[in-house]
PDB file of all heavy atoms in Angstrom:
ATOM      1  N   GLY U  93       3.274   2.713   1.601  1.00  0.00           N
ATOM      2  CA  GLY U  93       4.448   3.557   1.606  1.00  0.00           C
ATOM      3  C   GLY U  93       3.964   5.012   1.754  1.00  0.00           C
ATOM      4  O   GLY U  93       3.133   5.463   1.065  1.00  0.00           O
ATOM      5  N   TRP U  94       4.534   5.675   2.731  1.00  0.00           N
ATOM      6  CA  TRP U  94       4.154   7.070   3.022  1.00  0.00           C
ATOM      7  C   TRP U  94       4.986   8.020   2.233  1.00  0.00           C
ATOM      8  O   TRP U  94       6.190   7.764   2.023  1.00  0.00           O
ATOM      9  CB  TRP U  94       4.425   7.360   4.545  1.00  0.00           C
ATOM     10  CG  TRP U  94       3.571   6.641   5.518  1.00  0.00           C
ATOM     11  CD1 TRP U  94       3.754   5.424   5.944  1.00  0.00           C
ATOM     12  CD2 TRP U  94       2.347   7.177   6.040  1.00  0.00           C
ATOM     13  NE1 TRP U  94       2.722   5.082   6.822  1.00  0.00           N
ATOM     14  CE2 TRP U  94       1.834   6.095   6.840  1.00  0.00           C
ATOM     15  CE3 TRP U  94       1.604   8.326   5.850  1.00  0.00           C
ATOM     16  CZ2 TRP U  94       0.620   6.250   7.577  1.00  0.00           C
ATOM     17  CZ3 TRP U  94       0.426   8.457   6.629  1.00  0.00           C
ATOM     18  CH2 TRP U  94      -0.031   7.512   7.461  1.00  0.00           C
ATOM     19  N   SER U  95       4.398   9.064   1.764  1.00  0.00           N
ATOM     20  CA  SER U  95       5.104  10.206   1.123  1.00  0.00           C
ATOM     21  C   SER U  95       6.028  10.886   2.268  1.00  0.00           C
ATOM     22  O   SER U  95       5.748  10.664   3.400  1.00  0.00           O
ATOM     23  CB  SER U  95       4.243  11.301   0.541  1.00  0.00           C
ATOM     24  OG  SER U  95       3.451  11.869   1.540  1.00  0.00           O
ATOM     25  N   PRO U  96       7.063  11.581   1.816  1.00  0.00           N
ATOM     26  CA  PRO U  96       7.986  12.149   2.806  1.00  0.00           C
ATOM     27  C   PRO U  96       7.282  13.092   3.840  1.00  0.00           C
ATOM     28  O   PRO U  96       7.714  13.134   4.967  1.00  0.00           O
ATOM     29  CB  PRO U  96       8.944  12.963   1.890  1.00  0.00           C
ATOM     30  CG  PRO U  96       8.930  12.316   0.618  1.00  0.00           C
ATOM     31  CD  PRO U  96       7.500  11.797   0.487  1.00  0.00           C
ATOM     32  N   ASP U  99       1.523  13.103   3.809  1.00  0.00           N
ATOM     33  CA  ASP U  99       0.126  13.529   3.386  1.00  0.00           C
ATOM     34  C   ASP U  99      -0.412  12.584   2.272  1.00  0.00           C
ATOM     35  O   ASP U  99      -1.559  12.755   1.850  1.00  0.00           O
ATOM     36  CB  ASP U  99       0.202  14.932   2.866  1.00  0.00           C
ATOM     37  CG  ASP U  99       1.138  15.176   1.726  1.00  0.00           C
ATOM     38  OD1 ASP U  99       2.106  14.338   1.591  1.00  0.00           O
ATOM     39  OD2 ASP U  99       0.998  16.175   1.009  1.00  0.00           O
ATOM     40  N   LYS U 100       0.353  11.637   1.770  1.00  0.00           N
ATOM     41  CA  LYS U 100      -0.050  10.731   0.750  1.00  0.00           C
ATOM     42  C   LYS U 100       0.396   9.330   1.080  1.00  0.00           C
ATOM     43  O   LYS U 100       1.418   9.165   1.836  1.00  0.00           O
ATOM     44  CB  LYS U 100       0.477  11.165  -0.614  1.00  0.00           C
ATOM     45  CG  LYS U 100      -0.154  12.485  -1.149  1.00  0.00           C
ATOM     46  CD  LYS U 100       0.346  12.841  -2.469  1.00  0.00           C
ATOM     47  CE  LYS U 100      -0.262  14.138  -2.881  1.00  0.00           C
ATOM     48  NZ  LYS U 100       0.324  14.643  -4.093  1.00  0.00           N
ATOM     49  N   LEU U 101      -0.271   8.380   0.572  1.00  0.00           N
ATOM     50  CA  LEU U 101      -0.020   6.988   0.862  1.00  0.00           C
ATOM     51  C   LEU U 101      -0.020   6.156  -0.452  1.00  0.00           C
ATOM     52  O   LEU U 101      -1.038   6.236  -1.168  1.00  0.00           O
ATOM     53  CB  LEU U 101      -1.063   6.457   1.785  1.00  0.00           C
ATOM     54  CG  LEU U 101      -0.828   5.158   2.419  1.00  0.00           C
ATOM     55  CD1 LEU U 101       0.324   5.220   3.434  1.00  0.00           C
ATOM     56  CD2 LEU U 101      -2.133   4.766   3.333  1.00  0.00           C
ATOM     57  N   ALA U 102       1.014   5.475  -0.764  1.00  0.00           N
ATOM     58  CA  ALA U 102       1.014   4.519  -1.871  1.00  0.00           C
ATOM     59  C   ALA U 102       0.648   3.189  -1.359  1.00  0.00           C
ATOM     60  O   ALA U 102       1.004   2.791  -0.174  1.00  0.00           O
ATOM     61  CB  ALA U 102       2.439   4.486  -2.449  1.00  0.00           C
ATOM     62  N   PHE U 103      -0.059   2.426  -2.125  1.00  0.00           N
ATOM     63  CA  PHE U 103      -0.497   1.082  -1.679  1.00  0.00           C
ATOM     64  C   PHE U 103      -0.800   0.234  -2.944  1.00  0.00           C
ATOM     65  O   PHE U 103      -0.982   0.667  -4.023  1.00  0.00           O
ATOM     66  CB  PHE U 103      -1.719   1.171  -0.790  1.00  0.00           C
ATOM     67  CG  PHE U 103      -2.977   1.566  -1.424  1.00  0.00           C
ATOM     68  CD1 PHE U 103      -3.932   0.738  -1.911  1.00  0.00           C
ATOM     69  CD2 PHE U 103      -3.264   2.999  -1.505  1.00  0.00           C
ATOM     70  CE1 PHE U 103      -5.077   1.123  -2.506  1.00  0.00           C
ATOM     71  CE2 PHE U 103      -4.438   3.413  -2.118  1.00  0.00           C
ATOM     72  CZ  PHE U 103      -5.288   2.495  -2.571  1.00  0.00           C
ATOM     73  N   PHE U 119      -1.693   2.358  -6.298  1.00  0.00           N
ATOM     74  CA  PHE U 119      -2.447   3.551  -6.229  1.00  0.00           C
ATOM     75  C   PHE U 119      -1.737   4.489  -5.267  1.00  0.00           C
ATOM     76  O   PHE U 119      -0.923   4.069  -4.381  1.00  0.00           O
ATOM     77  CB  PHE U 119      -3.871   3.251  -5.605  1.00  0.00           C
ATOM     78  CG  PHE U 119      -4.731   2.509  -6.486  1.00  0.00           C
ATOM     79  CD1 PHE U 119      -4.703   1.071  -6.428  1.00  0.00           C
ATOM     80  CD2 PHE U 119      -5.664   3.098  -7.288  1.00  0.00           C
ATOM     81  CE1 PHE U 119      -5.512   0.346  -7.248  1.00  0.00           C
ATOM     82  CE2 PHE U 119      -6.534   2.278  -8.016  1.00  0.00           C
ATOM     83  CZ  PHE U 119      -6.436   0.927  -8.074  1.00  0.00           C
ATOM     84  N   ILE U 120      -2.113   5.800  -5.351  1.00  0.00           N
ATOM     85  CA  ILE U 120      -1.746   6.786  -4.341  1.00  0.00           C
ATOM     86  C   ILE U 120      -3.033   7.322  -3.767  1.00  0.00           C
ATOM     87  O   ILE U 120      -3.963   7.675  -4.487  1.00  0.00           O
ATOM     88  CB  ILE U 120      -0.953   7.908  -4.991  1.00  0.00           C
ATOM     89  CG1 ILE U 120       0.405   7.447  -5.356  1.00  0.00           C
ATOM     90  CG2 ILE U 120      -0.771   9.036  -3.943  1.00  0.00           C
ATOM     91  CD1 ILE U 120       1.318   8.460  -6.003  1.00  0.00           C
ATOM     92  N   LEU U 121      -3.103   7.441  -2.466  1.00  0.00           N
ATOM     93  CA  LEU U 121      -4.284   7.939  -1.708  1.00  0.00           C
ATOM     94  C   LEU U 121      -3.845   9.247  -1.105  1.00  0.00           C
ATOM     95  O   LEU U 121      -2.873   9.284  -0.307  1.00  0.00           O
ATOM     96  CB  LEU U 121      -4.686   7.011  -0.686  1.00  0.00           C
ATOM     97  CG  LEU U 121      -5.815   7.392   0.270  1.00  0.00           C
ATOM     98  CD1 LEU U 121      -7.168   7.744  -0.485  1.00  0.00           C
ATOM     99  CD2 LEU U 121      -6.049   6.435   1.328  1.00  0.00           C
ATOM    100  N   LEU U 131      -1.639   4.356 -10.385  1.00  0.00           N
ATOM    101  CA  LEU U 131      -0.331   4.505 -11.040  1.00  0.00           C
ATOM    102  C   LEU U 131      -0.073   3.393 -12.087  1.00  0.00           C
ATOM    103  O   LEU U 131       0.398   3.598 -13.134  1.00  0.00           O
ATOM    104  CB  LEU U 131       0.753   4.529 -10.060  1.00  0.00           C
ATOM    105  CG  LEU U 131       0.891   5.805  -9.143  1.00  0.00           C
ATOM    106  CD1 LEU U 131       2.072   5.678  -8.255  1.00  0.00           C
ATOM    107  CD2 LEU U 131       0.861   7.016  -9.976  1.00  0.00           C
ATOM    108  N   PHE U 141       7.106  -2.028  -1.114  1.00  0.00           N
ATOM    109  CA  PHE U 141       7.487  -0.621  -1.082  1.00  0.00           C
ATOM    110  C   PHE U 141       8.904  -0.444  -0.465  1.00  0.00           C
ATOM    111  O   PHE U 141       9.245  -1.104   0.554  1.00  0.00           O
ATOM    112  CB  PHE U 141       6.485   0.150  -0.210  1.00  0.00           C
ATOM    113  CG  PHE U 141       6.846   1.685  -0.078  1.00  0.00           C
ATOM    114  CD1 PHE U 141       6.499   2.578  -0.994  1.00  0.00           C
ATOM    115  CD2 PHE U 141       7.467   2.149   1.068  1.00  0.00           C
ATOM    116  CE1 PHE U 141       6.850   3.938  -0.850  1.00  0.00           C
ATOM    117  CE2 PHE U 141       7.841   3.415   1.298  1.00  0.00           C
ATOM    118  CZ  PHE U 141       7.550   4.326   0.284  1.00  0.00           C
ATOM    119  N   VAL U 142       9.737   0.381  -1.112  1.00  0.00           N
ATOM    120  CA  VAL U 142      11.082   0.620  -0.688  1.00  0.00           C
ATOM    121  C   VAL U 142      11.192   2.043  -0.130  1.00  0.00           C
ATOM    122  O   VAL U 142      11.620   2.252   0.974  1.00  0.00           O
ATOM    123  CB  VAL U 142      12.068   0.370  -1.807  1.00  0.00           C
ATOM    124  CG1 VAL U 142      13.552   0.810  -1.329  1.00  0.00           C
ATOM    125  CG2 VAL U 142      12.104  -1.063  -2.206  1.00  0.00           C
ATOM    126  N   SER U 143      10.831   3.069  -0.977  1.00  0.00           N
ATOM    127  CA  SER U 143      11.051   4.455  -0.550  1.00  0.00           C
ATOM    128  C   SER U 143      10.206   5.367  -1.449  1.00  0.00           C
ATOM    129  O   SER U 143       9.758   5.047  -2.488  1.00  0.00           O
ATOM    130  CB  SER U 143      12.511   4.885  -0.532  1.00  0.00           C
ATOM    131  OG  SER U 143      12.893   4.866  -1.909  1.00  0.00           O
ATOM    132  N   TRP U 144      10.067   6.672  -0.893  1.00  0.00           N
ATOM    133  CA  TRP U 144       9.358   7.745  -1.714  1.00  0.00           C
ATOM    134  C   TRP U 144      10.258   8.954  -1.354  1.00  0.00           C
ATOM    135  O   TRP U 144      10.305   9.466  -0.291  1.00  0.00           O
ATOM    136  CB  TRP U 144       8.017   7.928  -1.089  1.00  0.00           C
ATOM    137  CG  TRP U 144       7.074   8.804  -1.878  1.00  0.00           C
ATOM    138  CD1 TRP U 144       7.418   9.860  -2.612  1.00  0.00           C
ATOM    139  CD2 TRP U 144       5.649   8.699  -1.957  1.00  0.00           C
ATOM    140  NE1 TRP U 144       6.232  10.522  -3.056  1.00  0.00           N
ATOM    141  CE2 TRP U 144       5.187   9.734  -2.736  1.00  0.00           C
ATOM    142  CE3 TRP U 144       4.649   7.822  -1.388  1.00  0.00           C
ATOM    143  CZ2 TRP U 144       3.839   9.986  -2.970  1.00  0.00           C
ATOM    144  CZ3 TRP U 144       3.415   8.080  -1.645  1.00  0.00           C
ATOM    145  CH2 TRP U 144       2.923   9.125  -2.433  1.00  0.00           C
ATOM    146  N   ASP U 145      10.898   9.467  -2.427  1.00  0.00           N
ATOM    147  CA  ASP U 145      11.743  10.622  -2.250  1.00  0.00           C
ATOM    148  C   ASP U 145      11.078  11.947  -2.401  1.00  0.00           C
ATOM    149  O   ASP U 145       9.919  12.016  -2.816  1.00  0.00           O
ATOM    150  CB  ASP U 145      13.002  10.453  -3.115  1.00  0.00           C
ATOM    151  CG  ASP U 145      12.836  10.685  -4.536  1.00  0.00           C
ATOM    152  OD1 ASP U 145      11.763  11.323  -4.967  1.00  0.00           O
ATOM    153  OD2 ASP U 145      13.711  10.338  -5.372  1.00  0.00           O
ATOM    154  N   GLU U 146      11.807  12.985  -2.117  1.00  0.00           N
ATOM    155  CA  GLU U 146      11.257  14.422  -2.169  1.00  0.00           C
ATOM    156  C   GLU U 146      10.840  14.795  -3.553  1.00  0.00           C
ATOM    157  O   GLU U 146      10.021  15.692  -3.779  1.00  0.00           O
ATOM    158  CB  GLU U 146      12.300  15.443  -1.603  1.00  0.00           C
ATOM    159  CG  GLU U 146      12.529  15.283  -0.142  1.00  0.00           C
ATOM    160  CD  GLU U 146      11.368  15.806   0.721  1.00  0.00           C
ATOM    161  OE1 GLU U 146      10.571  16.632   0.174  1.00  0.00           O
ATOM    162  OE2 GLU U 146      11.188  15.453   1.876  1.00  0.00           O
ATOM    163  N   GLN U 147      11.397  14.169  -4.606  1.00  0.00           N
ATOM    164  CA  GLN U 147      11.044  14.520  -6.025  1.00  0.00           C
ATOM    165  C   GLN U 147       9.834  13.682  -6.455  1.00  0.00           C
ATOM    166  O   GLN U 147       9.398  13.778  -7.569  1.00  0.00           O
ATOM    167  CB  GLN U 147      12.235  14.259  -6.887  1.00  0.00           C
ATOM    168  CG  GLN U 147      13.320  15.214  -6.882  1.00  0.00           C
ATOM    169  CD  GLN U 147      14.094  15.089  -5.529  1.00  0.00           C
ATOM    170  OE1 GLN U 147      14.423  14.014  -5.124  1.00  0.00           O
ATOM    171  NE2 GLN U 147      14.363  16.195  -4.903  1.00  0.00           N
ATOM    172  N   GLY U 148       9.215  12.914  -5.557  1.00  0.00           N
ATOM    173  CA  GLY U 148       8.033  12.172  -5.892  1.00  0.00           C
ATOM    174  C   GLY U 148       8.317  10.815  -6.571  1.00  0.00           C
ATOM    175  O   GLY U 148       7.389  10.207  -7.150  1.00  0.00           O
ATOM    176  N   VAL U 149       9.504  10.286  -6.505  1.00  0.00           N
ATOM    177  CA  VAL U 149       9.775   9.032  -7.113  1.00  0.00           C
ATOM    178  C   VAL U 149       9.612   7.937  -6.076  1.00  0.00           C
ATOM    179  O   VAL U 149      10.220   8.016  -4.989  1.00  0.00           O
ATOM    180  CB  VAL U 149      11.256   8.935  -7.685  1.00  0.00           C
ATOM    181  CG1 VAL U 149      11.621   7.567  -8.171  1.00  0.00           C
ATOM    182  CG2 VAL U 149      11.392  10.009  -8.774  1.00  0.00           C
ATOM    183  N   ILE U 150       8.770   6.973  -6.417  1.00  0.00           N
ATOM    184  CA  ILE U 150       8.479   5.891  -5.512  1.00  0.00           C
ATOM    185  C   ILE U 150       9.242   4.618  -5.962  1.00  0.00           C
ATOM    186  O   ILE U 150       9.129   4.297  -7.153  1.00  0.00           O
ATOM    187  CB  ILE U 150       6.945   5.586  -5.508  1.00  0.00           C
ATOM    188  CG1 ILE U 150       6.208   6.869  -5.030  1.00  0.00           C
ATOM    189  CG2 ILE U 150       6.677   4.445  -4.522  1.00  0.00           C
ATOM    190  CD1 ILE U 150       4.720   6.725  -5.279  1.00  0.00           C
ATOM    191  N   SER U 151       9.935   3.988  -5.085  1.00  0.00           N
ATOM    192  CA  SER U 151      10.725   2.810  -5.428  1.00  0.00           C
ATOM    193  C   SER U 151      10.089   1.545  -4.877  1.00  0.00           C
ATOM    194  O   SER U 151       9.622   1.565  -3.777  1.00  0.00           O
ATOM    195  CB  SER U 151      12.203   2.899  -5.000  1.00  0.00           C
ATOM    196  OG  SER U 151      12.803   4.064  -5.580  1.00  0.00           O
ATOM    197  N   TYR U 152      10.062   0.471  -5.709  1.00  0.00           N
ATOM    198  CA  TYR U 152       9.494  -0.824  -5.281  1.00  0.00           C
ATOM    199  C   TYR U 152      10.510  -1.955  -5.618  1.00  0.00           C
ATOM    200  O   TYR U 152      11.296  -1.831  -6.461  1.00  0.00           O
ATOM    201  CB  TYR U 152       8.238  -1.101  -6.017  1.00  0.00           C
ATOM    202  CG  TYR U 152       7.024  -0.301  -5.527  1.00  0.00           C
ATOM    203  CD1 TYR U 152       6.637   0.789  -6.147  1.00  0.00           C
ATOM    204  CD2 TYR U 152       6.315  -0.794  -4.446  1.00  0.00           C
ATOM    205  CE1 TYR U 152       5.630   1.581  -5.633  1.00  0.00           C
ATOM    206  CE2 TYR U 152       5.332  -0.101  -3.949  1.00  0.00           C
ATOM    207  CZ  TYR U 152       4.856   1.125  -4.535  1.00  0.00           C
ATOM    208  OH  TYR U 152       3.866   1.813  -4.072  1.00  0.00           O
ATOM    209  N   SER U 165       5.253   9.666  -8.877  1.00  0.00           N
ATOM    210  CA  SER U 165       3.928   9.850  -8.227  1.00  0.00           C
ATOM    211  C   SER U 165       3.080  10.896  -8.941  1.00  0.00           C
ATOM    212  O   SER U 165       1.934  11.035  -8.732  1.00  0.00           O
ATOM    213  CB  SER U 165       4.106  10.209  -6.772  1.00  0.00           C
ATOM    214  OG  SER U 165       4.813  11.429  -6.567  1.00  0.00           O
ATOM    215  N   GLU U 166       3.751  11.688  -9.707  1.00  0.00           N
ATOM    216  CA  GLU U 166       3.065  12.877 -10.420  1.00  0.00           C
ATOM    217  C   GLU U 166       2.760  12.463 -11.865  1.00  0.00           C
ATOM    218  O   GLU U 166       1.674  12.811 -12.389  1.00  0.00           O
ATOM    219  CB  GLU U 166       3.890  14.065 -10.315  1.00  0.00           C
ATOM    220  CG  GLU U 166       4.143  14.551  -8.910  1.00  0.00           C
ATOM    221  CD  GLU U 166       2.882  14.764  -8.104  1.00  0.00           C
ATOM    222  OE1 GLU U 166       1.929  15.255  -8.619  1.00  0.00           O
ATOM    223  OE2 GLU U 166       2.886  14.462  -6.907  1.00  0.00           O
TER     224      GLU U 166
END
Side-chain angles (χ1 to χ4, degrees):
W94 292 87
S95 66
D99 59 339
K100 294 181 182 173
L101 192 65
F103 66 96
F119 294 85
I120 292 181
L121 174 63
L131 290 184
F141 175 81
V142 175
S143 66
W144 188 329
D145 70 18
E146 290 287 339
Q147 288 72 45
V149 176
I150 304 169
S151 298
Y152 284 96
S165 62
E166 300 303 321

